[in-house]
Amino acid sequence: MTENNQNGLFGEFGGSYVPENLQTVLDGLAEAFETHKDDPDFKEEFRYYLREYVGRENPLTFAQNLTKKIGGAKIYLKREDLNHTGAHKINNAIGQILLAKRMGATRVIAETGAGQHGVATATACAMFDIPCTIYMGKHDTERQALNVFRMELLGAKVVPVEAGQGRLKDAVDAALGDLIENYQTTFYLLGSAVGPHPFPTMVKHFQSIISEESKKQIIEKEGKLPTAVVACIGGGSNAIGSFAHYIDEENVRLIGVEPKEAASITEGVPAVIHGFKCLTLLNEDGEPAPTHSIAAGLDYPGIGPEHSHFKTTGRAEYVTITGEEALKAFRELSRVEGIIPALESSHAIAYTLRLAKELAEDDVIIVNLSGRGDKDVDQVYKMERE
Ligand SMILES: *Cc1c(COP(=O)(O)O)cnc(C)c1O
């Protein structure tokens, strides 16, 4: 039903809108991905590192205290927070670095905003002993000095990008410039289910492990499929990975939760940004609008093409949660279950609490706990003292 075609089109969304020299590089990448993704050795190697290095499979934890307190549907937490490095991003970083090795790349580059994808990439590069350069807006390097140090500890070279406003968009442009110049040796490891083909398809493939596991786990625990699967949305990678194995199960509701302050799907219009077409927040000049979520990982004006398509077809529902509601959920899960969630994941938790109340006791919700909140404790501490 939702299989994308060769050009990475999802309905009218996705595709590839890039200069010719970059298109040649992307065509090579798409071909390599198609060649290797189903190769038994490649699959086995991916599984090996997910198991031995990332620590999969991670649990599907029944949130018994929360379920009791809220009333209504049973709430299960898919524990991406228990992965090595503390979030789902490492699944994709391992998958892409194995592909980079197969393609003979001797150097990996990546962009990063707040630093989370940069840290996941630097981790994978340390593990596989591949030189790593991370482009990060100058402004972001100043705000996230600790993450810069983390990446450097892991052996990465962090390049502060002074161009433009010194933010994520400028880091992406710098990384693409590097790729065009050095494509023969260099692999660009993109961090979410966005960008030109084949990135959205490739990132979904590596993140689908989340729903592959959760589907098996929920059938073991409940003997049936969930009523709903809920996940937060930045670029859309943890959500598409959480949805993937349920897309053809028409009775399973798929719900993506955006921050009210960066609601690309709910409030955006179709446009081309960063080389692909998606629902996007634009300012009056038709440029991607600046966004201001309390969760750095959700602060992106665009959204993956498949989510844009699901919004149009109605296969998935998309809702918004404010920063304030997310903070409440951050405290609630910490207090009631002893699990401190990432501020990104707290958006999904907040909506789950609302939904559980509306559903019946024999309903089941799986919410993807995309990451742990240790990285956010300092920020919340400061916000609450302002
Ligand atoms: C980066 C990040 C997100 C958002 O990215 P997606 O591509 O939408 O998944 C969500 N949660 C955490 C913990 C993150 O680090």
Side-chain angles (χ1 to χ4, degrees):
M1 175 173 79
T2 49
E3 272 307 294
N4 57 298
N5 68 26
Q6 283 296 318
N7 303 316
L9 285 175
F10 302 87
E12 67 166 306
F13 299 105
S16 181
Y17 300 79
V18 298
E20 210 169 305
N21 49 1
L22 182 54
Q23 189 58 54
T24 311
V25 179
L26 294 174
D27 289 345
L29 178 61
E31 197 183 312
F33 174 63
E34 284 305 319
T35 306
H36 294 298
K37 76 176 171 52
D38 297 321
D39 169 44
D41 289 344
F42 182 82
K43 280 163 84 168
E44 198 181 303
E45 205 181 1
F46 183 48
R47 295 298 156 129
Y48 174 86
Y49 287 104
L50 288 183
R51 188 175 70 241
E52 302 295 329
Y53 191 66
V54 177
R56 304 196 77 97
E57 71 180 36
N58 59 41
L60 182 68
T61 306
F62 175 44
Q64 52 181 20
N65 301 333
L66 201 59
T67 298
K68 201 159 155 198
K69 186 168 172 194
I70 301 296
K74 279 180 139 175
I75 300 170
Y76 281 88
L77 310 168
K78 182 58 178 156
R79 302 295 303 279
E80 295 301 304
D81 63 313
L82 294 180
N83 293 345
H84 175 48
T85 69
H88 67 288
K89 286 198 173 71
I90 191 77
N91 304 327
N92 171 52
I94 297 282
Q96 285 196 46
I97 211 158
L98 291 175
L99 185 61
K101 275 197 348 175
R102 297 277 164 127
M103 292 175 72
T106 54
R107 178 174 174 261
V108 164
I109 61 172
E111 84 298 339
T112 197
Q116 288 150 244
H117 174 56
V119 170
T121 303
T123 300
C125 286
M127 167 72 203
F128 289 95
D129 197 22
I130 295 184
C132 172
T133 301
I134 306 290
Y135 289 96
M136 189 170 183
K138 179 131 194 306
H139 177 80
D140 292 331
T141 58
E142 286 160 7
R143 284 196 306 176
Q144 302 284 343
L146 209 55
N147 269 341
V148 174
F149 182 57
R150 235 177 231 131
M151 289 181 261
E152 288 170 352
L153 274 178
L154 294 161
K157 182 176 157 207
V158 180
V159 178
V161 179
E162 299 205 24
Q165 304 199 306
R167 291 177 193 269
L168 177 61
K169 178 186 179 301
D170 311 297
V172 172
D173 290 341
L176 286 173
D178 181 323
L179 179 64
I180 289 171
E181 205 161 303
N182 301 301
Y183 70 93
Q184 275 156 330
T185 57
T186 300
F187 186 96
Y188 182 7
L189 207 160
L190 196 78
S192 188
V194 296
H197 181 66
F199 284 110
T201 299
M202 193 159 78
V203 174
K204 175 190 183 184
H205 179 80
F206 295 131
Q207 291 293 4
S208 293
I209 186 71
I210 302 173
S211 51
E212 184 186 316
E213 289 178 4
S214 80
K215 194 173 188 181
K216 189 192 92 193
Q217 290 168 317
I218 200 67
I219 287 171
E220 275 168 18
K221 288 173 197 286
E222 291 288 336
K224 62 179 181 187
L225 293 175
T227 311
V229 179
V230 181
C232 66
I233 298 226
S237 74
N238 88 88
I240 206 69
S242 302
F243 294 171
H245 286 266
Y246 301 102
I247 291 170
D248 292 331
E249 307 284 359
E250 285 169 27
N251 294 326
V252 178
R253 290 172 64 184
L254 306 176
I255 305 175
V257 185
E258 297 190 289
K260 185 85 188 76
E261 299 78 8
S264 328
I265 305 193
T266 319
E267 292 167 17
V269 294
V272 173
I273 61 164
H274 301 157
F276 72 109
K277 189 169 180 188
C278 67
L279 292 171
T280 307
L281 293 171
L282 299 176
N283 65 17
E284 307 86 67
D285 301 329
E287 299 283 326
T291 52
H292 302 285
S293 172
I294 57 163
L298 304 185
D299 235 344
Y300 182 63
I303 171 69
E306 196 166 7
H307 291 296
S308 303
H309 181 55
F310 286 165
K311 163 76 176 174
T312 310
T313 62
R315 176 60 192 98
E317 304 159 52
Y318 296 92
V319 298
T320 61
I321 283 290
T322 65
E324 206 171 312
E325 290 169 290
L327 270 175
K328 246 180 95 182
F330 175 87
R331 287 190 157 278
E332 182 81 350
L333 193 71
S334 303
R335 180 67 190 83
V336 176
E337 294 288 347
I339 299 171
I340 302 178
L343 283 175
E344 290 84 359
S345 325
S346 299
H347 287 73
I349 305 286
Y351 187 75
T352 299
L353 299 182
R354 205 193 283 171
L355 180 65
K357 257 186 265 184
E358 294 166 8
L359 296 177
E361 275 177 22
D362 61 354
D363 283 312
V364 170
I365 303 174
I366 294 178
V367 56
N368 194 43
L369 199 52
S370 56
R372 61 173 171 245
D374 303 45
K375 69 181 178 59
D376 299 318
V377 169
D378 182 51
Q379 182 190 340
V380 174
Y381 175 81
K382 284 178 182 147
M383 278 189 306
E384 298 199 344
R385 264 147 199 85
E386 264 170 15

